[in-house]
Amino acid sequence: MIRPRTEFMGFISDFVFGLLGDSVVADLGKDDLAEFDCSLRVIAGRHKGLGGGWHDGQASVYPGGLDFEASFHAKAGVRTALRTSPPPISVTVSAVATARQRQPNNAETRNVKADSQIVELTTETATLQWAVPTKKLKAALERVQSSWSSEAPSA
């Protein structure tokens, strides 16, 4: 009588740990900067898809830039099921002003995660502020700037 219950419990534990194990193994091979939450806003100039207010979403960082997918937040009376997500916004970065890196101020923490650092990004047409989780900032900046160090100066 005890044996069928033991086999059943073994089946359940194999099933549960099998699912968890697969996700842990999948996470081990995942690029840490493949996609992470952040916020962007324009502070000077213009950038297609962005305005002066903070836009939160997810970024995928690559050498020389990032692709940003803005999150959709339902406003009063708008049904999220009927709204399609906006297309990703491509940001080609020409400079990063790390000297002006800072934490969000009290007013910004309503729109930006408090554990973020804000840095300025310069593009061809605008200056942006990019709020990045502190744990991701160093790696994200290294990746964005990595294409610049490999470029040879033109003669």
Side-chain angles (χ1 to χ4, degrees):
M1 244 351 171
I2 296 175
R3 186 164 176 98
R5 181 179 169 105
T6 305
E7 288 175 3
F8 179 72
M9 292 306 289
F11 169 77
I12 295 295
S13 68
D14 286 347
F15 178 75
V16 170
F17 289 117
L19 289 176
L20 292 175
D22 288 345
S23 74
V24 169
V25 170
D27 284 347
L28 290 176
K30 189 176 178 183
D31 181 356
D32 197 33
L33 296 175
E35 199 170 271
F36 61 92
D37 292 337
C38 64
S39 300
L40 273 173
R41 75 173 173 179
V42 175
I43 58 171
R46 290 183 170 202
H47 194 90
K48 185 177 180 179
L50 296 172
W54 284 106
H55 301 268
D56 44 320
Q58 296 184 328
S60 298
V61 183
Y62 55 85
L66 60 107
D67 288 330
F68 180 74
E69 274 192 59
S71 299
F72 173 70
H73 298 289
K75 306 261 189 234
V78 177
R79 296 186 56 161
T80 56
L82 300 176
R83 172 87 189 246
T84 59
S85 340
I89 299 163
S90 183
V91 178
T92 302
V93 178
S94 57
V96 177
T98 54
R100 289 192 285 277
Q101 179 179 324
R102 63 181 179 81
Q103 293 182 315
N105 61 37
N106 286 339
E108 289 170 325
T109 56
R110 293 182 197 152
N111 302 308
V112 174
K113 293 184 177 163
D115 70 337
S116 297
Q117 291 289 310
I118 297 173
V119 294
E120 286 185 16
L121 305 177
T122 303
T123 71
E124 216 175 87
T125 60
T127 301
L128 310 175
Q129 285 186 326
W130 186 28
V132 180
T134 302
K135 292 179 181 179
K136 304 269 187 190
L137 183 66
K138 182 179 178 192
L141 291 177
E142 285 174 358
R143 169 106 27 112
V144 166
Q145 296 171 328
S146 66
S147 71
W148 304 332
S149 61
S150 63
E151 292 176 3
S154 55

